[in-house]
Amino acid sequence: MLSEAVPFCSKYWYHIVIFFVCFCYFYGDIHRQIKRRISPIFTKVFKYPDGIRTDQNEALDEVTDIIDNDEEEFMESALPKDLKHVPYQYVKPNEKELLRRANKFFEITNARRTIRYFDEENVPKEVIRYIIKAAGTAPSGAHTEPWSFVAVSNKTMKSRIREIVEREEEINYKKRMGKKWTSDLRPLRTNWIKEYLTTAPYLILVFKQVYGILPNGKRKVHYYNETSVSIACGILLTAIEYTGLVTLTSTPLNCGPAIRTLLGRPSNEKLLLLLPVGYPAKDATVPDLQRKSLSEILTEIE
Amino acid sequence: MLSEAVPFCSKYWYHIVIFFVCFCYFYGDIHRQIKRRISPIFTKVFKYPDGIRTDQNEALDEVTDIIDNDEEEFMESALPKDLKHVPYQYVKPNEKELLRRANKFFEITNARRTIRYFDEENVPKEVIRYIIKAAGTAPSGAHTEPWSFVAVSNKTMKSRIREIVEREEEINYKKRMGKKWTSDLRPLRTNWIKEYLTTAPYLILVFKQVYGILPNGKRKVHYYNETSVSIACGILLTAIEYTGLVTLTSTPLNCGPAIRTLLGRPSNEKLLLLLPVGYPAKDATVPDLQRKSLSEILTEIE
């Protein structure tokens, strides 16, 4: 059997190799290994003008991180093993009070609008600190708290951030995002000039930590870090609104690496959102948008 | 030149093809095309016991969806072209008031805890509606509002959801997630038995719409839909806490397709979170966790 198979293999080994590689690629571990270990080397060797590819790899790495969590480098525990459990302190409201509060909270959040025009007036530092503290109460996968906030009020630093964002956004609008993106955004009257980045007294930059670093230098898995940090941002936006300030929820495409370098953030952090925070300009306008009705977003199964 | 090249090509065409395919794979469009069009066919042909791969493909598809947004099928506009802009109505609080509110909001959110033990007592339907309405005020990429909420109070339906979640979670704990995940969760005293899914009066299931469908049947791009829906969930969790109810933020791994089928949700929706909502059980306990301090999560650049 073997002697018969040898000439076949020597003649058609190319076919066998190709079949094997394809099979492993689609259904085996080699798929993930190539993505994680070989692809970044190529990315460094070839400079690629279209930076979107990098974002795509990052997103894939994140998915891989959730799955590859039993690698040895990630074997440190996230929580103390002897964690105590204590009674939950709770004061139960009556039904009338529940309804009053639920209604009140809806009215607060319903008044929130995305603002693109800011006043230069300063905001007390303590207010920004409370807002960030509120965001830090968000739940996270296995209580990993995978967020970092940078609050920038320094004028030079704000100008530098603006330079980075405007440079990248001009490329986004003109090349990367295609006609569809720019035509979708036109009714909102946005372009790549981002004046608010220097007028708003504060820029809050929200980073997700794709993994954590323990005191002993080992890595800690951050499960569902993007979802966790986005939930924290939902609390952050509500804190800003509740306090009486305004913001603009922005996701500056492709600015992450340059801003991370500028701010000296570690390599496990990726920029998720950039929020200018302050008072609205006296003549600030907002697009006359309608929100979906409750029946469009809620299905009740009773 | 051509006549010299021909024997070279005929002899070494395998090498050329392999080089070309590898090059295109790493740096060309073929990479995305293979992922989107060929890979799903293979996935259907081979039944794969490890469902995690599906999640990985879904995440990749999502990234691809953001990038491929100038395909013809997505060419419908998200917002009306003649959108009016109106003055923003704003009442400016003084600095003392700003600080009081920021502090108050932090105290509200800081009291929130993830609860795993629920009371069976019912919650008024109107309260749940206000909470969902609040979540629906979240910002979203190009105002696409890519969320769907399903509020389940029906006992049979809650039991069926519990069956699905417990079946998948048992596999997650025993096989999929590896030792690391289960050892990370052990201090929280969780396992695959999810009693709260039938005791809590309401289950709120949060779906992200990876694309929208316009009245004419065409698809609408949903930019950054995962981030947008997670932000809405941050507001939802805060609404529940503000109202005086409790919840558990859960991301049931791999239950999405079965729950989507059970609830008859369309194929553009993916399950993001499952939140049991109600009153805590009288003897509910919580792990004695500490949150990171402000200095661990905030960097100020003044």
Side-chain angles (χ1 to χ4, degrees):
Chain A
M1 274 302 285
L2 187 72
S3 60
E4 277 170 22
V6 169
F8 175 83
C9 289
S10 70
K11 194 166 177 187
Y12 294 108
W13 66 274
Y14 262 123
H15 296 84
I16 297 165
V17 167
I18 291 169
F19 175 81
F20 183 75
V21 169
C22 288
F23 187 83
C24 288
Y25 186 81
F26 280 109
Y27 297 104
D29 233 33
I30 201 173
H31 176 189
R32 263 147 58 194
Q33 297 305 324
I34 286 176
K35 277 283 145 220
R36 296 200 77 187
R37 317 215 182 273
I38 301 172
S39 190
I41 300 167
F42 277 72
T43 313
K44 275 176 197 162
V45 174
F46 294 80
K47 284 251 176 191
Y48 219 66
D50 176 0
I52 289 176
R53 188 157 306 278
T54 312
D55 278 8
Q56 198 175 6
N57 287 338
E58 280 178 14
L60 189 74
D61 281 349
E62 210 185 304
V63 176
T64 320
D65 278 352
I66 294 176
I67 298 162
D68 279 355
N69 59 19
D70 46 5
E71 281 187 13
E72 213 176 327
E73 59 184 334
F74 285 113
M75 283 305 280
E76 287 300 308
S77 182
L79 290 167
K81 276 170 195 140
D82 57 347
L83 187 64
K84 268 196 300 185
H85 285 238
V86 295
Y88 173 61
Q89 304 298 326
Y90 179 71
V91 180
K92 188 178 162 186
N94 63 37
E95 290 202 355
K96 200 178 152 194
E97 177 64 12
L98 274 184
L99 199 59
R100 191 195 65 77
R101 291 192 201 168
N103 182 3
K104 178 82 191 296
F105 188 80
F106 164 66
E107 281 177 8
I108 293 165
T109 55
N110 196 36
R112 191 199 55 75
R113 294 301 311 262
T114 291
I115 299 295
R116 291 188 158 74
Y117 312 97
F118 286 78
D119 198 285
E120 288 194 333
E121 190 182 338
N122 202 17
V123 166
K125 194 193 300 187
E126 291 72 23
V127 172
I128 300 296
R129 287 182 182 165
Y130 273 123
I131 286 169
I132 304 284
K133 276 178 85 171
T137 67
S140 54
H143 195 56
T144 45
E145 300 171 282
W147 37 70
S148 285
F149 302 91
V150 181
V152 179
S153 53
N154 180 287
K155 284 206 165 116
T156 317
M157 194 57 103
K158 286 195 290 177
S159 297
R160 285 193 192 162
I161 290 170
R162 181 175 167 180
E163 278 167 29
I164 292 171
V165 173
E166 290 187 344
R167 190 176 63 219
E168 294 294 330
E169 284 284 271
E170 188 171 354
I171 304 172
N172 291 339
Y173 273 80
K174 289 185 177 170
K175 291 183 190 168
R176 288 191 193 114
M177 295 309 280
K179 280 178 210 155
K180 180 74 189 102
W181 171 258
T182 40
S183 69
D184 267 5
L185 285 180
R186 199 169 301 127
L188 298 174
R189 296 187 195 168
T190 67
N191 59 25
W192 60 87
I193 308 297
K194 309 288 182 188
E195 212 183 308
Y196 54 77
L197 293 174
T198 44
T199 45
Y202 273 94
L203 300 182
I204 298 180
L205 296 107
V206 185
F207 292 87
K208 58 176 182 178
Q209 299 170 345
V210 293
Y211 56 86
I213 297 161
L214 291 164
N216 63 9
K218 288 197 178 182
R219 288 178 177 192
K220 185 168 95 167
V221 193
H222 280 177
Y223 308 102
Y224 299 103
N225 62 74
E226 176 146 334
T227 303
S228 302
V229 182
S230 301
I231 287 174
C233 289
I235 302 176
L236 185 67
L237 296 178
T238 313
I240 293 166
E241 178 62 29
Y242 188 96
T243 301
L245 298 172
V246 297
T247 189
L248 160 71
T249 317
S250 82
T251 49
L253 182 69
N254 246 54
C255 303
I259 291 179
R260 189 179 69 193
T261 306
L262 176 68
L263 299 175
R265 302 307 303 168
S267 60
N268 63 331
E269 296 187 358
K270 312 268 181 218
L271 183 64
L272 185 71
L273 288 185
L274 194 173
L275 306 170
V277 179
Y279 302 101
K282 305 270 176 309
D283 56 354
T285 58
V286 289
D288 192 17
L289 292 173
Q290 300 301 309
R291 291 191 174 123
K292 284 181 180 170
S293 67
L294 186 62
S295 63
E296 287 174 279
I297 64 169
L298 172 64
T299 306
E300 291 170 288
I301 300 178
E302 294 170 287
Chain B
M1 274 303 283
L2 187 71
S3 59
E4 278 169 21
V6 169
F8 175 83
C9 291
S10 69
K11 193 167 178 187
Y12 295 107
W13 66 275
Y14 262 123
H15 297 84
I16 297 165
V17 167
I18 291 169
F19 175 80
F20 183 75
V21 168
C22 288
F23 188 83
C24 287
Y25 187 83
F26 280 109
Y27 296 105
D29 232 32
I30 201 173
H31 175 191
R32 262 147 59 194
Q33 296 306 323
I34 286 176
K35 278 281 145 224
R36 296 200 78 188
R37 315 211 185 276
I38 301 170
S39 190
I41 299 167
F42 277 73
T43 313
K44 276 178 198 163
V45 174
F46 294 79
K47 283 252 174 188
Y48 220 67
D50 177 0
I52 289 175
R53 187 157 305 278
T54 312
D55 278 7
Q56 200 175 5
N57 287 338
E58 280 177 15
L60 188 74
D61 281 349
E62 211 185 303
V63 176
T64 321
D65 278 351
I66 293 174
I67 297 161
D68 280 354
N69 60 18
D70 47 3
E71 281 186 12
E72 213 176 324
E73 58 184 336
F74 286 114
M75 284 305 279
E76 287 299 307
S77 182
L79 290 167
K81 276 169 195 142
D82 57 346
L83 188 64
K84 268 197 300 185
H85 285 238
V86 295
Y88 173 61
Q89 304 299 326
Y90 179 71
V91 181
K92 187 179 163 185
N94 63 39
E95 290 202 356
K96 200 177 152 195
E97 177 63 10
L98 273 185
L99 200 58
R100 192 195 64 76
R101 291 191 200 169
N103 182 4
K104 177 81 191 297
F105 188 80
F106 164 66
E107 281 178 8
I108 292 165
T109 54
N110 196 36
R112 191 198 55 76
R113 294 300 311 262
T114 291
I115 299 296
R116 292 188 159 74
Y117 312 96
F118 287 76
D119 198 284
E120 287 193 335
E121 190 183 337
N122 201 18
V123 165
K125 194 194 300 187
E126 291 71 24
V127 172
I128 299 296
R129 287 181 183 164
Y130 272 123
I131 287 169
I132 304 285
K133 276 178 85 171
T137 67
S140 55
H143 195 55
T144 45
E145 301 172 281
W147 37 69
S148 285
F149 302 91
V150 180
V152 178
S153 53
N154 180 287
K155 285 206 165 118
T156 316
M157 195 57 103
K158 285 195 290 177
S159 297
R160 286 195 191 161
I161 291 171
R162 182 175 167 181
E163 278 167 29
I164 292 171
V165 174
E166 290 188 343
R167 190 177 63 220
E168 293 294 331
E169 284 285 270
E170 188 171 353
I171 305 172
N172 291 339
Y173 273 81
K174 289 185 175 169
K175 292 183 189 170
R176 287 191 194 114
M177 295 310 278
K179 281 179 211 154
K180 180 75 187 99
W181 171 258
T182 41
S183 70
D184 267 4
L185 285 181
R186 199 169 300 126
L188 298 174
R189 297 187 194 167
T190 67
N191 60 24
W192 60 88
I193 308 296
K194 309 288 183 189
E195 212 183 308
Y196 54 76
L197 292 174
T198 44
T199 46
Y202 273 95
L203 301 182
I204 298 180
L205 296 107
V206 185
F207 292 86
K208 58 176 182 176
Q209 299 169 346
V210 293
Y211 57 85
I213 297 161
L214 291 164
N216 63 10
K218 288 196 177 182
R219 289 177 176 194
K220 186 168 97 168
V221 193
H222 279 177
Y223 308 101
Y224 299 105
N225 62 75
E226 177 147 334
T227 304
S228 303
V229 182
S230 301
I231 287 173
C233 289
I235 302 175
L236 185 67
L237 296 177
T238 314
I240 292 166
E241 178 62 30
Y242 188 95
T243 301
L245 297 173
V246 298
T247 189
L248 159 72
T249 316
S250 82
T251 49
L253 182 68
N254 247 51
C255 303
I259 290 179
R260 190 179 68 192
T261 306
L262 176 67
L263 299 175
R265 303 306 304 168
S267 60
N268 63 330
E269 296 189 356
K270 312 271 181 217
L271 184 65
L272 185 71
L273 289 185
L274 193 173
L275 306 170
V277 179
Y279 302 102
K282 305 270 175 312
D283 56 355
T285 59
V286 289
D288 192 17
L289 292 173
Q290 299 301 310
R291 292 193 173 119
K292 284 180 181 171
S293 67
L294 186 63
S295 64
E296 288 174 278
I297 64 169
L298 173 64
T299 307
E300 291 170 288
I301 301 179
E302 294 171 288

